[in-house]
Amino acid sequence: MSWVTVIWSMAASACLTLATVYLLAWCHRRTTWSYLLFAVAATATAAAAGGELCLMRAQTPGQLATLVRWIHVPIWVVVVATVAFVRFHLRAGRPWLAWGACVLRTASLLVNFLVAQNLNYREITRVLQVPFLGDTVSLAQGVVNPWMRLGQLSLLFYFAFGVDAAITVWRRRDGLAALLTGSSVAFFILIGGVQATLVVRGVLHWPFTMSLPFLGIVAAMAYELNRTVLGAAQLADALRESEERLREAAEAAGFGIYRFDLVSGTAFYSRELLALYGLPVSATLELDPDLVPKAVHPDDKAIFLGCMKRANDPDGSGILDLEFRILLKGGRERWLRVRGRTVFGGDGACRRPVRANGIIQDVSERKRVEQELGVQRLQLAHVSRVASMGQMASSLAHELSQPLGAILRNAEAAEMILQAPSLDLDEVRAILEDIRHDDQRAGAVIERVRDLMRRRDVMTTPLDLRQLAGDVIVLARPDADRRRVALAVETGPALPSVQGDRVQLQQVLLNLLLNAMDAVGDSPPREGRVTVRVRRTATAVEVSVIDNGHGIPADAMLRLFEPFYTTKPKGMGVGLPISKSIVEAHGGTLWAANNPEGGATFTFSLPVSAAGRGMRGEVNDESAIA
Ligand code: ADP
């Protein structure tokens, strides 16, 4: 077999093979138009190579004329397909040059079929046999067609387009493969164009070999596509690796991962997430997007759906952070924490949720511990109140002795009136009214103490801390009298209300008062004095218990709020820690400091409730209750 046949056949089959590969690739990824353009250019190059081989084997001028005419079809296809490839794939080359090359090439093709014989020859007169690569090939000789200049002009545009694209790609530093594609268009078309012109003009005694420069262009395009495919494969590998790392980390941390495509309505759940929901790990993880909401405990459903809605609201932050329960098979409950983020697409009015990603974690154990701690805290609070009971017994006796004594005296007076000869009914009515009033007072005292003793959950209401301080001082006053401690209260007339549990806050203040009285009682012979000051700050109401006792030693200062820390022989060391936890549960703070003039001040501050924010109060009223 001659070299000519071998080379041209191999060129054609190489192009067809590459074309088939990329055609199949395009069938799988229809959006990648560069694959199709390449397949079309490679097929046309194969056709051009086949046409040239036939030209070299043609026997008559008529055969040559027909073949030269038809070979312009694959040339037109190669030009248009490569220009489109460079424009769409490399995004290079000026559009007007691209249009110029394509339009002029199309015009050349039309002229080729309209004028005599073909675009290159007006008439082929002879068939020359010339030696070529150790073989003898046919060559046309005849009258050159002036329309050939149109074809040459189109190739000039094609060449300029290639140079321009190569410069753009080089400036952009898109990589060697991209640069090669752009420059090969220019380089090979220059060679092909010049060679064709010289052949037609009879300067060069060579056959048409346009397919060889085209082959160079196709090879550069294949190299560029290969780079893209390789890059995509490397990216896929990196992505797989990163997903694997993420999965391993999530597995180690016990997180389940989810991803919702809010546009297509599909969902992805990691194996860990399915395990959290007690579901078998399915081979396909594209599952029901309602899996998560469906399993939510009925009691938590409304809040869960509300949070989801807020997270997907285009005007919101897109953050989802929530703890909720799910119901597992067999009615078991599991506490989960979800932390997610919604990704939005579009701007302004067109902004809409596109994707939601997040993690879900099992927090059942933490919830159990929290609940246990809550119960223990309540029990501790109860213990503390019971511990205060002994001290309050005297207060109760003192408080009750007054109304009970009054009732007795009134009853005796009524008896005397009833024994008198003339019955004064008005007097009896007044006495009975007094008795009822005293009875109500005694009932209120008992109710207050009962409230303090009873264990119950937090019930918050708007509170006037001035009134609360007054209530607690009434309870502590008999004790203060017995210990000879002067009890005073300083407060503004119109303090804003705070939101809180009355009984718990009474307990805090009572505990601080009893501690203060202990402290002043321990430092005789000075006259003991304890002042309760209620005042407003910018955003809170502060209650301070100020004493002139022994103060807090430096080493005790750091440990005051530690559970069971006490310096008293019969102390329990639970009063301050419980008080602190109560105040903090109300969103406030409790702290202690020594006074410069001696003694200590314990202060708690509570945020002003929304209802009380409009009011202002100042410290201007001082009254002493001794
Ligand atoms: P306890 O009932 O044992 O006194 P608390 O938690 O109420 O437990 O107080 C812990 C410790 O804080 C007390 O033992 C005391 O040493 C110190 N303390 C509390 N209030 C005062 C105060 N007003 N002045 C000085 N020390 C105080």
Side-chain angles (χ1 to χ4, degrees):
M1 200 184 283
S2 76
W3 277 112
V4 170
T5 314
V6 169
I7 293 171
W8 262 256
S9 309
M10 273 177 62
S13 32
C15 284
L16 283 178
T17 311
L18 282 172
T20 313
V21 170
Y22 280 96
L23 194 65
L24 288 175
W26 178 74
C27 288
H28 280 100
R29 293 197 59 182
R30 293 286 171 103
T31 47
T32 318
W33 289 104
S34 47
Y35 290 170
L36 181 67
L37 290 170
F38 174 81
V40 169
T43 311
T45 305
E52 283 169 6
L53 196 59
C54 295
L55 265 176
M56 288 187 259
R57 301 279 177 246
Q59 297 300 320
T60 62
Q63 281 175 350
L64 275 175
T66 312
L67 283 166
V68 170
R69 173 175 271 180
W70 281 101
I71 212 163
H72 279 280
V73 176
I75 290 174
W76 175 80
V77 174
V78 172
V79 170
V80 174
T82 48
V83 165
F85 180 89
V86 172
R87 281 286 316 141
F88 296 125
H89 183 74
L90 298 183
R91 296 180 320 281
R94 271 157 235 249
W96 67 271
L97 284 175
W99 279 113
C102 292
V103 168
L104 287 171
R105 199 66 234 167
T106 310
S108 309
L109 187 69
L110 291 176
V111 169
N112 174 57
F113 281 101
L114 293 176
V115 296
Q117 289 213 335
N118 53 55
L119 186 73
N120 304 86
Y121 296 98
R122 197 184 286 167
E123 190 188 358
I124 294 177
T125 48
R126 271 179 64 201
V127 179
L128 292 181
Q129 295 294 324
V130 292
F132 183 65
L133 295 176
D135 199 353
T136 308
V137 297
S138 307
L139 214 64
Q141 200 177 42
V143 185
V144 176
N145 194 340
W147 281 105
M148 197 173 104
R149 292 208 178 84
L150 189 63
Q152 285 168 335
L153 189 64
S154 84
L155 292 183
L156 204 66
F157 266 83
Y158 189 44
F159 169 74
F161 173 74
V163 171
D164 185 45
I167 292 171
T168 311
V169 168
W170 176 68
R171 279 203 189 128
R172 273 203 320 237
R173 299 182 195 283
D174 275 2
L176 181 68
L179 183 64
L180 265 180
T181 313
S183 52
S184 66
V185 167
F187 176 70
F188 288 113
I189 213 59
L190 185 68
I191 294 180
V194 169
Q195 188 253 0
T197 310
L198 294 178
V199 169
V200 174
R201 300 220 175 263
V203 180
L204 197 68
H205 286 282
W206 257 35
F208 276 112
T209 54
M210 271 305 265
S211 64
L212 294 184
F214 284 165
L215 197 65
I217 296 172
V218 166
M221 283 164 79
Y223 184 50
E224 160 64 16
L225 280 184
N226 198 35
R227 183 190 66 102
T228 319
V229 171
L230 216 74
Q234 278 166 352
L235 204 67
D237 279 352
L239 206 68
R240 243 195 312 279
E241 217 171 277
S242 133
E243 263 185 11
E244 189 60 23
R245 271 203 301 271
L246 195 72
R247 207 185 62 73
E248 278 170 14
E251 197 177 25
F255 289 151
I257 300 174
Y258 66 82
R259 187 172 60 230
F260 297 133
D261 187 324
L262 299 169
V263 180
S264 68
T266 52
F268 161 84
Y269 301 116
S270 72
R271 286 157 208 279
E272 291 70 33
L273 191 135
L274 294 174
L276 286 178
Y277 276 79
L279 292 172
V281 176
S282 147
T284 163
L285 297 178
E286 300 299 321
L287 290 172
D288 177 10
D290 289 335
L291 169 84
V292 176
K294 254 195 309 213
V296 176
H297 193 288
D299 293 351
D300 294 353
K301 201 152 238 167
I303 187 162
F304 179 89
L305 293 176
C307 287
M308 287 261 280
K309 202 166 160 221
R310 267 197 300 284
N312 291 341
D313 181 359
D315 296 328
S317 64
I319 302 279
L320 177 68
D321 190 348
L322 169 75
E323 289 181 353
F324 62 99
R325 284 165 297 168
I326 54 165
L327 274 181
L328 298 173
K329 269 195 194 131
R332 272 188 312 130
E333 277 182 15
R334 179 169 281 164
W335 271 98
L336 298 180
R337 178 177 189 185
V338 57
R339 299 195 70 177
R341 174 171 227 135
T342 302
V343 178
F344 296 94
D347 285 320
C350 300
R351 192 169 140 92
R352 64 198 170 91
V354 176
R355 261 189 329 275
N357 306 310
I359 54 161
I360 294 188
Q361 188 188 10
D362 186 351
V363 290
S364 308
E365 184 56 22
R366 202 196 75 209
K367 279 282 169 188
R368 193 186 59 74
V369 173
E370 271 176 16
Q371 271 162 9
E372 262 178 25
L373 272 176
V375 170
Q376 278 171 11
R377 218 168 57 188
L378 272 180
Q379 283 168 348
L380 264 176
H382 181 60
V383 167
S384 159
R385 277 197 291 272
V386 172
S388 316
M389 198 162 66
Q391 285 151 310
M392 277 192 301
S394 61
S395 126
L396 187 62
H398 179 92
E399 278 291 303
L400 287 178
S401 66
Q402 274 186 4
L404 288 177
I407 289 170
L408 183 66
R409 277 192 300 280
N410 275 322
E412 284 168 358
E415 223 170 26
M416 281 167 63
I417 291 169
L418 286 173
Q419 282 164 7
S422 60
L423 191 61
D424 185 347
L425 277 177
D426 286 343
E427 188 71 7
V428 174
R429 261 189 221 107
I431 287 172
L432 286 175
E433 182 57 34
D434 281 353
I435 289 176
R436 192 169 58 235
H437 184 253
D438 288 331
D439 180 77
Q440 281 168 346
R441 242 176 77 196
V445 170
I446 292 170
E447 189 56 34
R448 262 202 309 265
V449 176
R450 225 175 57 148
D451 268 0
L452 275 168
M453 293 301 115
R454 199 167 45 210
R455 196 175 79 196
R456 61 193 183 108
D457 292 335
V458 177
M459 277 169 52
T460 61
T461 47
L463 293 177
D464 179 355
L465 286 182
R466 217 166 40 129
Q467 196 189 333
L468 185 131
D471 286 349
V472 175
I473 279 174
V474 167
L475 279 174
R477 198 174 54 190
D479 203 14
D481 287 349
R482 191 174 50 79
R483 301 185 197 207
R484 301 193 182 286
V485 175
L487 210 52
V489 63
E490 291 177 13
T491 169
L495 288 169
S497 62
V498 299
Q499 195 71 22
D501 182 290
R502 189 168 58 87
V503 175
Q504 285 199 349
L505 293 175
Q506 277 180 344
Q507 187 200 335
V508 170
L509 186 55
L510 185 65
N511 186 53
L512 297 182
L513 273 174
L514 294 176
N515 274 347
M517 286 194 280
D518 283 346
V520 295
D522 288 343
S523 56
R526 244 182 334 160
E527 198 218 347
R529 184 177 173 83
V530 175
T531 305
V532 177
R533 179 182 291 156
V534 188
R535 66 182 194 109
R536 180 186 178 152
T537 64
T539 55
V541 178
E542 269 184 5
V543 180
S544 303
V545 178
I546 308 151
D547 66 57
N548 62 348
H550 54 62
I552 309 161
D555 57 332
M557 190 63 101
L558 295 172
R559 305 189 52 200
L560 281 181
F561 299 100
E562 278 179 19
F564 308 114
Y565 173 76
T566 180
T567 53
K568 301 171 196 167
K570 289 186 183 166
M572 287 178 69
V574 292
L576 285 181
I578 290 172
S579 301
K580 191 170 165 61
S581 70
I582 291 174
V583 171
E584 281 173 0
H586 282 76
T589 38
L590 168 63
W591 67 95
N594 278 322
N595 306 325
E597 66 281 2
T601 298
F602 280 74
T603 307
F604 66 88
S605 85
L606 296 172
V608 173
S609 66
R613 225 165 266 150
M615 298 175 67
R616 290 196 64 80
E618 68 267 12
V619 184
N620 60 359
D621 173 31
E622 178 160 339
S623 57
I625 305 167

